Amino acid sequence: MAEIELRLKALTGYAVGVISFLVLAFALLASAEQILNGTSNDFESGSFFKLFNVLLQEGKMHYQHFWPELEFGWRVIVGSVIGFFAAAFGSVGGVGGGGIFVPMLTLITGFDPKTSTAISKCMITGAAGATVYYNLKLRHPILDLPIIDYDLSLLLQPMLLLGISIGVVLNILFAEWMVTVLLIILFIVTSTRSFFKGVETWKKETIIKKEVSRRLTSSNGGAEDAAYKLLPAGPRVRNEGYKTPEVSIVDNVYWKDFIILIAVWVILLVLHFFKNYTSTCSTTYWILNLLQVPVAVGASGYEAVCLYKGTRMVMSSGEAVITWKVHQLILYCCCGILAGIVGGLLGLGGGFILGPLFLELGIPPQVSSATATFVMIFSSSMSVVQYYLLGRFPVPYALYFVAVATVAALAGQYVVRKIISIVGRASVIIFVLAFTIFVSALSLGGVGIADTIKRIKEGRYMGFDNICEYNR
């Protein structure tokens, strides 16, 4: 119980840190805009303030899409290779790979940023769909449970979808340089924390493997069972030819929870569908936006109350029953909203926050990756439907890259599971997660910085936009 309390305290600290960082960052960005509006006339002559004078120009809400022809050339080949590896690593880490898809589609394939975001969502959906199908048949590495934690999914999925709606609005309001700053800092912090979590897990696995070897040396009897119990965050030590346990999808899914998740997805999708055909900032527009709150809060609140009362339990950690506190449940729901906000801002799936969050709770890496991907498929698929209805991406290109991402996700899952079964270390998944987030920070951050420099040179508007002037 003491170890569980320490994990909950660490996770609470992680949640508070993420929330505090984003709130502070948003406040600083808003304050900077207000200060600039009040002081630009006094410091016009300073070169430093000339740069910020660009932020004060009146922006116009117009955008022109660029869709290259689908031709089998070097751009498609290189983009396919990068997309393949990004989808493979992203599916294994449970982050989708959107942080690599968007720069690849923009810099190599030649799409405009907004179309790249839409196609990236399609690729994330394809990779996540393949990964979820693969995982629906698998069991927990040490417990008689599905590898997907449906209680965590029900707690966070509605909040994630609600956060994405907020993130989409902020994406319109915020200038690209603001999003770039938030992205670089958040992703570097998250990847660093995941890396150290991987190192910690690696050390624990090393101790466990030494203990197993000692028991094997002293006595062969019951050694396999000892290894199984001693390795809570890794695969079971199996005899040669032993296959990973798979069961029927029908028997391995908690259908009540699954139906609730589908219902939340459908209701929010319908609200988004009608919202897209209303005038921005109209009364109907804001009513449809606000109606998402009781739907999401009601579903997550139901799960939170059950966890608090003990009628439902998060068993995936393999430890004793966790005693949830009210402030912890609220913080974790807020993290779900923040994951959605980041996803809406950047066109990602939200796994960049959910994956590390699950690891902090002590969830095994295999379960963490599978659950994050399961939650992520709801958010990415909802975005794809909306983008399709609005005609935001070329269907042939999208279908091609979805096929690439789907094959890559299945290949990535198969290869990494084989590696884990051979080396006996589930920490491999954590290192893949940290690596994918770090590469995403470099790629998305690099593209954002380059675009910001270009906008400054061209003297283009770089301040907050007016959502009521946004033409969808």
Side-chain angles (χ1 to χ4, degrees):
M1 287 299 294
E3 185 178 354
I4 294 176
E5 288 296 325
L6 289 175
R7 284 180 177 175
L8 285 175
K9 288 181 179 178
L11 183 55
T12 301
Y14 174 81
V16 171
V18 172
I19 294 172
S20 300
F21 161 72
L22 287 180
V23 171
L24 179 61
F26 292 157
L28 287 175
L29 291 174
S31 299
E33 182 79 1
Q34 292 175 358
I35 292 172
L36 288 169
N37 283 333
T39 62
S40 61
N41 294 330
D42 298 331
F43 297 95
E44 269 188 354
S45 58
S47 58
F48 177 78
F49 290 95
K50 285 182 179 179
L51 170 64
F52 286 100
N53 281 338
V54 180
L55 302 177
L56 307 179
Q57 301 168 15
E58 183 178 357
K60 295 181 179 179
M61 300 299 296
H62 65 278
Y63 195 84
Q64 183 176 359
H65 294 279
F66 179 75
W67 296 352
E69 294 292 332
L70 180 56
E71 298 177 350
F72 189 75
W74 72 268
R75 290 181 180 272
V76 173
I77 294 175
V78 175
S80 300
V81 172
I82 296 176
F84 183 90
F85 284 102
F89 280 101
S91 66
V92 171
V95 294
I100 302 176
F101 294 153
V102 174
M104 177 272 292
L105 291 166
T106 303
L107 298 178
I108 297 176
T109 312
F111 286 101
D112 62 276
K114 291 190 176 181
T115 301
S116 297
T117 298
I119 298 180
S120 170
K121 281 290 189 181
C122 296
M123 297 178 70
I124 292 173
T125 302
T131 304
V132 169
Y133 174 76
Y134 180 91
N135 289 328
L136 283 177
K137 299 178 289 185
L138 298 180
R139 303 292 287 175
H140 192 285
I142 63 168
L143 302 173
D144 189 21
L145 297 169
I147 196 170
I148 297 173
D149 192 313
Y150 289 94
D151 287 298
L152 283 177
S153 300
L154 188 54
L155 180 66
L156 294 174
Q157 180 254 23
M159 295 289 100
L160 179 72
L161 297 180
L162 178 62
I164 285 178
S165 299
I166 300 173
V168 169
V169 174
L170 294 178
N171 180 269
I172 299 172
L173 294 175
F174 280 20
E176 292 187 11
W177 70 269
M178 302 176 188
V179 177
T180 300
V181 171
L182 293 173
L183 177 148
I184 293 176
I185 298 176
L186 181 62
F187 277 19
I188 289 179
V189 170
T190 307
S191 63
T192 302
R193 192 170 183 88
S194 298
F195 175 78
F196 284 116
K197 186 69 177 180
V199 173
E200 178 187 345
T201 305
W202 181 279
K203 291 179 180 179
K204 289 181 179 179
E205 290 169 341
T206 301
I207 295 173
I208 290 169
K209 290 171 77 68
K210 288 181 180 179
E211 177 67 16
V212 171
S213 298
R214 185 185 66 79
R215 293 196 180 192
L216 284 171
T217 303
S218 61
S219 173
N220 289 328
E224 183 178 341
D225 292 334
Y228 177 80
K229 295 176 182 178
L230 282 170
L231 199 58
R236 178 178 179 176
V237 178
R238 300 183 176 91
N239 293 326
E240 188 69 24
Y242 189 93
K243 295 184 179 180
T244 302
E246 294 187 6
V247 298
S248 169
I249 293 178
V250 175
D251 298 329
N252 203 37
V253 175
Y254 290 177
W255 289 105
K256 179 182 177 181
D257 296 343
F258 190 78
I259 291 173
I260 294 175
L261 293 171
I262 292 292
V264 172
W265 182 85
V266 170
I267 293 172
L268 294 182
L269 180 62
V270 170
L271 292 175
H272 279 291
F273 175 80
F274 286 111
K275 186 184 71 174
N276 288 331
Y277 293 95
T278 61
S279 300
T280 306
C281 286
S282 65
T283 302
T284 305
Y285 175 87
W286 292 115
I287 289 176
L288 291 173
N289 269 314
L290 292 175
L291 283 176
Q292 299 177 55
V293 176
V295 176
V297 172
S300 290
Y302 161 77
E303 176 66 21
V305 170
C306 291
L307 289 174
Y308 178 74
K309 292 182 176 180
T311 55
R312 299 173 70 98
M313 294 173 288
V314 175
M315 302 291 294
S316 297
S317 64
E319 305 288 346
V321 177
I322 299 175
T323 301
W324 294 89
K325 299 178 181 178
V326 175
H327 72 278
Q328 291 169 338
L329 290 167
I330 294 175
L331 280 173
Y332 306 154
C333 288
C334 289
C335 279
I337 295 178
L338 290 175
I341 290 175
V342 173
L345 269 172
L346 309 173
L348 308 178
F352 290 93
I353 290 181
L354 294 183
L357 187 69
F358 293 155
L359 292 175
E360 291 290 337
L361 189 57
I363 305 299
Q366 304 99 311
V367 181
S368 171
S369 172
T371 306
T373 304
F374 178 70
V375 173
M376 193 168 53
I377 193 173
F378 290 97
S379 62
S380 58
S381 59
M382 177 178 290
S383 299
V384 168
V385 173
Q386 294 180 69
Y387 284 137
Y388 174 76
L389 294 174
L390 294 172
R392 290 290 182 85
F393 59 83
V395 175
Y397 249 119
L399 290 176
Y400 170 75
F401 279 115
V402 165
V404 171
T406 301
V407 174
L410 292 174
Q413 288 290 324
Y414 177 80
V415 171
V416 170
R417 302 294 172 183
K418 283 291 184 182
I419 293 175
I420 292 175
S421 65
I422 293 173
V423 303
R425 292 182 182 271
S427 54
V428 172
I429 294 179
I430 306 179
F431 288 120
V432 170
L433 170 66
F435 174 77
T436 306
I437 296 177
F438 182 72
V439 172
S440 299
L442 295 180
S443 57
L444 277 176
V447 172
I449 292 173
D451 183 71
T452 300
I453 295 174
K454 180 181 178 181
R455 286 172 175 267
I456 292 174
K457 290 181 178 180
E458 295 177 353
R460 297 170 62 184
Y461 176 71
M462 295 178 60
F464 288 104
D465 285 320
N466 186 351
I467 187 174
C468 296
E469 296 178 3
Y470 181 63
N471 181 15
R472 291 168 296 182

